Amino acid sequence: MNHFQYKDGRLFAEDVDLTALAQKVGTPFYCYSSATLERHYRVFAEAFPKDTLIAYSVKANGNLGVLKTLAQLGAGADVVSGGELKKALKAGVPANKIVFSGVGKTRAEMMLGLEAGIHQFNVESEPELAALNSVAKELGKRAPITIRINPDVDAKTHAKITTGTSENKFGIPWSRAREAYKLAASLPSLEIVGVDMHIGSQITELAPFEAAFARVADLVKTLRADGHSIKRIDLGGGLGVPYAPTDPAPPAPELYGAAVSRAVAGLGCELILEPGRLIAANAGVLVSRVTYVKEGEAKKFLILDAGMNDLIRPAMYDAHHEIVSVREAAPAAVYDVVGPVCESSDLFGSNRRLPELKEGDLVAILTAGAYGAVMASAYNARPPAAEVLVKGDQWAVVRPRMSDDELIGLDRIPG
């Protein structure tokens, strides 16, 4: 469910008219709904025991306005860089609710996490264990760690967002799990606190999760028998969302929660979940204005002022996003919806049935709240879209659009 609905023939975000908003902030812009963020977080959190740490995956949408909205509900944060750690702290996420993931943590980033007092580091390799031990020793601290174990489970999702098979760069192979924990136990500035896993993103079936959860539960028992103190299980995120009307409905959060409960029953571990897309995707749209309607030999092209630099998912993953007119009307034409970027892959959708549109009309690209603005670039010297957060009938620009001169001013001509 989201809070983008037509009222009197115009698309609204909660109680904010997107047509009027476009006139005030210009296009293209991302628009996020506070009510949708809040609802999705609560529905997910309520599927788990109250002491579960819901560490929102900052990489899905790291806007400070979004993070603050979730922090006020009690969310923690899953971060994968020093910048994301600083963002989470600035938005009010307590350090003891932050977990630090990622395969390439630098020593400087480790120092940031240790000095802040984060909940744990999810370590992804043996060299990282050694580096973190060294940094913690220099600071006179002990680093709380889980080790991300790759359960070698195929999530059957897009190849570019699968993370849990033996061919992926993430985590330590299942066959080396006990050896890695033995190494960690020998390093005096590390404190083993749990186990971590993550098998991928946009997963719409329970079976891969259940297979991975079962393997991790068995591993916890084995590691405890080896003498390790395993108090936490970080099960990652990955629950998908529907992007197209024909997409299979992902499991409801309560069914996902029940699968987790069955898998960890009797272990007595603190649970950590890292949802991202599930919280943010349907909470955002990308609003764009039609620049031209172009008649081709075999196609009619709707050329927008938003491009693949603003939303790269269709070009990068062949991802589907529904596209609607901001003015409610019956479909009357078929378009290829494209952007102005000088690439053939700058295509938001082929053969889309939309109302008859003309230059200056507005469209909204739906389910764009996750992996949209965070993946934007300034390719073709195009400043990325602005970001707006709405709450009821109020709105605020939470990331202004950079001007051409500001963008160019970041470069330096050497003397």
Side-chain angles (χ1 to χ4, degrees):
M1 177 184 175
N2 62 62
H3 293 78
F4 297 94
Q5 308 293 336
Y6 288 104
K7 301 178 184 179
D8 299 323
R10 297 190 308 278
L11 188 62
F12 276 65
E14 299 185 28
D15 295 320
V16 174
D17 183 346
L18 289 179
T19 300
L21 185 56
Q23 292 173 345
K24 292 176 181 177
V25 303
T27 56
F29 68 93
Y30 280 94
C31 183
Y32 308 129
S33 159
S34 297
T36 307
L37 290 166
E38 292 165 355
R39 180 183 183 277
H40 288 179
Y41 176 83
R42 289 192 177 105
V43 168
F44 187 84
E46 287 167 2
F48 299 93
K50 288 189 179 298
D51 60 351
T52 300
L53 173 57
I54 307 298
Y56 167 73
S57 182
V58 175
K59 67 179 179 287
N61 185 323
N63 186 279
L64 288 177
V66 170
L67 297 181
K68 183 69 174 180
T69 298
L70 297 173
Q72 290 174 331
L73 299 177
D78 167 49
V79 304
V80 295
S81 71
E84 286 190 353
L85 171 58
K86 290 178 179 179
K87 276 196 159 192
L89 292 170
K90 187 167 184 177
V93 179
N96 64 4
K97 287 187 174 184
I98 296 176
V99 300
F100 201 145
S101 304
V103 301
K105 305 178 194 71
T106 66
R107 285 164 171 76
E109 289 172 328
M110 292 172 179
M111 190 172 293
L112 278 174
L114 286 164
E115 289 176 336
I118 65 171
H119 193 57
Q120 69 192 37
F121 292 86
N122 293 338
V123 177
E124 302 214 19
S125 68
E126 291 91 346
E128 186 186 334
L129 286 171
L132 182 56
N133 179 71
S134 175
V135 174
K137 183 179 179 180
E138 289 176 19
L139 294 178
K141 297 178 181 289
R142 291 190 78 205
I145 68 155
T146 68
I147 298 179
R148 179 172 176 175
I149 301 300
N150 188 326
D152 198 19
V153 170
D154 186 356
K156 301 187 186 303
T157 185
H158 192 287
K160 291 183 179 179
I161 52 177
T162 294
T163 64
T165 67
S166 59
E167 293 84 8
N168 297 126
K169 70 177 182 179
F170 299 98
I172 287 176
W174 184 263
S175 60
R176 296 212 309 267
R178 295 175 73 186
E179 180 184 340
Y181 272 89
K182 183 178 179 180
L183 172 61
S186 73
L187 299 172
S189 294
L190 302 183
E191 178 191 3
I192 295 171
V193 296
V195 176
D196 173 44
M197 60 142 272
H198 194 300
I199 61 172
S201 183
Q202 188 53 15
I203 303 169
T204 57
E205 298 177 355
L206 277 180
F209 288 120
E210 291 173 325
F213 296 163
R215 296 206 83 182
V216 169
D218 286 343
L219 179 61
V220 169
K221 297 171 187 176
T222 299
L223 293 175
R224 283 176 171 173
D226 288 344
H228 303 295
S229 177
I230 306 298
K231 301 176 288 187
R232 304 172 188 166
I233 303 178
D234 187 333
L235 294 172
L239 198 58
V241 301
Y243 281 92
T246 55
D247 283 352
E254 56 265 29
L255 296 179
Y256 181 74
V260 170
S261 296
R262 288 193 299 271
V264 304
L267 293 178
C269 287
E270 172 196 342
L271 290 177
I272 303 169
L273 280 303
E274 301 168 359
R277 186 191 312 266
L278 180 74
I279 305 297
N282 284 319
V285 301
L286 175 59
V287 178
S288 181
R289 196 175 294 279
V290 176
T291 303
Y292 299 112
V293 179
K294 177 181 175 180
E295 295 282 354
E297 286 287 340
K299 295 269 191 178
K300 182 182 284 190
F301 295 95
L302 202 65
I303 302 174
L304 306 182
D305 62 1
M308 63 185 285
N309 70 298
D310 299 301
L311 178 64
I312 201 171
R313 294 190 72 256
M316 187 172 184
Y317 303 122
D318 296 318
H320 180 96
H321 286 265
E322 286 292 287
I323 303 170
V324 300
S325 170
V326 170
R327 171 181 53 82
E328 189 174 24
V334 175
Y335 302 96
D336 273 15
V337 184
V338 303
V341 172
C342 195
E343 296 283 349
S344 297
S345 56
D346 187 22
L347 171 71
F348 292 118
S350 295
N351 299 318
R352 298 298 184 90
R353 291 188 57 79
L354 290 163
E356 195 76 49
L357 296 170
K358 63 183 185 303
E359 181 178 326
D361 286 342
L362 296 169
V363 299
I365 302 174
L366 308 184
T367 322
Y371 304 104
V374 286
M375 296 181 78
S377 74
Y379 185 42
N380 282 189
R382 288 173 43 82
E387 296 173 71
V388 177
L389 182 68
V390 305
K391 188 175 182 67
D393 61 358
Q394 299 179 309
W395 60 271
V397 175
V398 291
R399 190 174 190 273
R401 190 187 333 278
M402 191 181 293
S403 71
D404 290 340
D405 289 342
E406 288 170 327
L407 176 64
I408 295 166
L410 297 174
D411 292 355
R412 297 291 183 272
I413 298 174

